[in-house]
Amino acid sequence: MSTVSERLHRILDHRRTTFVLVGVNVLVSCAIIWASRHTVLSDTWSYLGLAEGILHGEFSMWWPLDMDYPDTFRTPGYPLFIAVCITLFGSWKSTLVVQFLLYWIALYLTLEVVKRFDPGRVAGNLVLLLLIPMINVPYYIGQLYTEIPVLAAIACTLLIITRPGLRKWYDPLVLGLLFGFIYQCKPIFLLFPVGYVVLSFWFDRSRKELRANGIMLAVFGATVLPYALWNWSNHGVFKATPLEGAGSYMHIGYWAGKIPGYTDRFYLQNFMGDEVVRFTPEDSIPSHIREYEREWGEFKAQLDPLFTAKDSAMLAARPNMPHPVEGTYSTAYTLARERLLFQSTMEHYRKDPLYVLAYKSYSAVRLWVIGIQREDFKRASLMGRLQMIYATASTAAVFLLGIVLLPWAYRKGVLTLRTSWPLVAYLLYFGVLHVPFTIQARYTTSVRFVLLILLAVAIHGLWTGRGTRSEESDGTKEPA
């Protein structure tokens, strides 16, 4: 290393630097929370409505009504989390305070995990340094969303998974419960524990590990079973995920690139983001909107006969509900709509593969990079525009660092899959399984700390020229 590089390395290896970087992160996080204190994102109300329903003995946003409307939209993990906070502290806003604490717990655990790959202070301080510009992560501390509790749960799982030496007897029990909590907050996580067991056996080939993972899966299954049984009891369907969701978000995820700037009026009232990068000519948008509305007309012709008097009563009561709520229709209506939307999406994929490939490739990048909406940018003040550009540039920079440096670090032996595969599995799972759905950079918020761990270790190893291939071959050192 050059003299300047050595001096910078010494600074990053100093305890005082850690305190300074933590302090800066605290200031940045508090500033973001304060600046967004009046912002209430749309999902807030469905989570809060379900939490209040739980406190009144129903898992439903429509709990004030006399008739039962068992939910079809969400798993109960996060609403239960909010309900517990309300019970303990008297207000749903206490959830935000708990999330503030969970954020710093998650960061502390992340720094502990980094030490297992790269002892010393440099890699940990690099995590803190890389985190400063990532305003999209602490932003969710102040929102009633699942991102921060799941961020903390993932950090806890990594602390267990990466523990050196023999596992504790209770590790698979805790891991199964943590995986269960993540699934109950984000049902898309359902298949991850199974994939984890397969990859663990592939990389470890240990009977003890296989036995521990069997216990973990049993505990995880025990956390999944109650909701599946609840669906069976209330909807007549044994299903571990909500009745609606996958088909509808895949359908919107297909059409969003063809009808930018359009607000759906048939289902969830989603706004189709008008991205800077478009995938259809402007003069084709009106015809795509007509096709989208014609398609929904066909859906309605099949769904309307399933619409019940109970559904009508629900919609009539909507203006009098304490919070904005999502429609919870009859089981037959919900299942039929989900089936139609999924089948339609698959047919569109078959007929329009080039558009799907291009748009979904863009979506895969946008899961990691905050986008800019054309109309929002036009209407914004200079300061507003600078904020949008900054959010995009900062997340894009970290994403590009990952794309460039991580493959390089694996090639040079700074990182090895044999020890880092759980982190890679998290990134790939969250990054790949969300691609078919609507574009939301928020979907990867909960694994941003995982990305920072790998990036910090990669940067430090490449910076110092530390590789592990020769050490691994002669068995003198456990590779990182």
Side-chain angles (χ1 to χ4, degrees), residues 148-164:
I148 299 303
V150 172
L151 178 81
I154 288 175
C156 287
T157 65
L158 288 178
L159 193 72
I160 294 172
I161 293 168
T162 61
R163 177 183 288 144

Side-chain angles (χ1 to χ4, degrees), residues 17-31:
T17 304
T18 304
F19 290 134
V20 171
L21 291 174
V22 169
V24 173
N25 272 286
V26 170
L27 291 174
V28 169
S29 299
C30 290

Side-chain angles (χ1 to χ4, degrees), residues 85-130:
C85 291
I86 294 173
T87 301
L88 293 176
F89 306 109
S91 169
W92 67 265
K93 292 185 178 180
S94 64
T95 309
L96 307 182
V97 177
V98 174
Q99 289 184 170
F100 182 82
L101 297 175
L102 286 176
Y103 179 81
W104 299 109
I105 291 171
L107 182 56
Y108 170 77
L109 296 179
T110 297
L111 296 177
E112 290 298 305
V113 172
V114 170
K115 292 177 184 177
R116 294 176 179 176
F117 290 89
D118 191 338
R121 297 186 182 274
V122 176
N125 283 337
L126 284 171
V127 167
L128 294 171
L129 190 62
L130 289 167

Side-chain angles (χ1 to χ4, degrees), residues 124-152:
N125 283 337
L126 284 171
V127 167
L128 294 171
L129 190 62
L130 289 167
L131 180 60
I132 291 172
M134 293 180 65
I135 60 175
N136 57 312
V137 184
Y139 173 82
Y140 285 98
I141 295 172
Q143 299 296 328
L144 217 58
Y145 274 54
T146 62
E147 272 55 45
I148 299 303
V150 172
L151 178 81

